Amino acid sequence: MPLTKPGSEEQPSSVRRSTQNRYAVLGALAFIVRFAAFGSFFPYIFLWLESNGFNTHSRGVLGALSGLARFFSPMVVGALADWSGRRKLIFVAGMLGNAAATAALPLVPRSFGAQAVLLALGGLVEPGSLVDAFVMRSLAWAGVASAAARARAFGALSWAAAAPLFGALSTTYGLPTLFWAYCALNIFVAAPVILLLPIDAAYAAVAA
């Protein structure tokens, strides 16, 4: 059943406000969970490499490879999503691919080549650009585009709070636990929340 755009004459004002508030909360939750997951990975990936014997030069090269892959990711993932029209499917596939590459970091040989392949692959398929697009377009479609800035702010606060908490967790359970927490948060919490947004309706409105 097609969704009714909030703010249309078909909806009473109380229903419209409730719908808009729901999407604003979902957008904020999407960024809160995503950035909390980032707080378990990005601050600690170089500590992981250092703990496995990679020198400063090797860590720099591996970080550069990961960063380069993430630089090209929006172009690759976005182009594929637009070309296929199956944006939600590409999003899920990217989340799963990124999670698989991240979860495998502690499981493969601790060699430069193995770590480089996984870091590059995980960065290339990471669908962060789709998350941004889904949230922004959904909130704009719902008539609460201004809520996007607040959602991003909540995400930044989430990172700041989560990073030290995950650091404390790593002292007890080890750095690999943080990578698996990153995967679990993205797959089992962030992805379902994001998919509750009116993504199809928002893109259909743009196409129309």
Side-chain angles (χ1 to χ4, degrees):
M1 180 179 178
L3 292 174
T4 300
K5 178 179 174 63
S8 70
E9 296 180 357
E10 301 175 33
Q11 286 189 328
S13 60
S14 59
V15 175
R16 180 175 68 249
R17 286 194 297 271
S18 176
T19 302
Q20 290 175 329
N21 289 339
R22 182 171 74 251
Y23 290 141
V25 169
L26 286 174
L29 283 175
F31 281 125
I32 287 170
V33 178
R34 283 276 292 168
F35 279 72
F38 291 157
S40 72
F41 179 75
F42 289 111
Y44 301 104
I45 184 61
F46 287 100
L47 294 178
W48 162 255
L49 296 173
E50 183 179 15
S51 69
N52 284 283
F54 292 99
N55 60 30
T56 302
H57 177 261
S58 296
R59 295 196 303 272
V61 173
L62 289 169
L65 286 173
S66 176
L68 186 64
R70 290 177 184 276
F71 174 79
F72 284 105
S73 174
M75 307 173 205
V76 174
V77 174
L80 186 58
D82 288 339
W83 172 77
S84 67
R86 302 188 175 212
R87 296 177 179 86
K88 291 194 289 189
L89 178 62
I90 299 300
F91 163 72
V92 171
M95 291 285 269
L96 291 173
N98 174 260
T102 304
L105 285 169
L107 305 177
V108 301
R110 312 294 169 83
S111 65
F112 181 91
Q115 298 290 305
V117 168
L118 290 177
L119 286 171
L121 179 61
L124 187 62
V125 302
E126 210 283 320
S129 58
L130 290 184
V131 174
D132 289 343
F134 289 170
V135 173
M136 305 299 179
R137 290 203 179 205
S138 295
L139 295 182
W141 176 84
V144 284
S146 61
R150 292 193 296 273
R152 298 275 312 184
F154 284 129
L157 293 174
S158 174
W159 180 318
L165 291 176
F166 280 116
L169 183 68
S170 71
T171 62
T172 302
Y173 298 103
L175 287 170
T177 304
L178 303 190
F179 301 157
W180 298 328
Y182 167 87
C183 299
L185 283 171
N186 271 322
I187 297 301
F188 298 114
V189 184
V193 168
I194 292 164
L195 291 173
L196 288 174
L197 291 166
I199 298 166
D200 291 334
Y203 275 91
V206 172

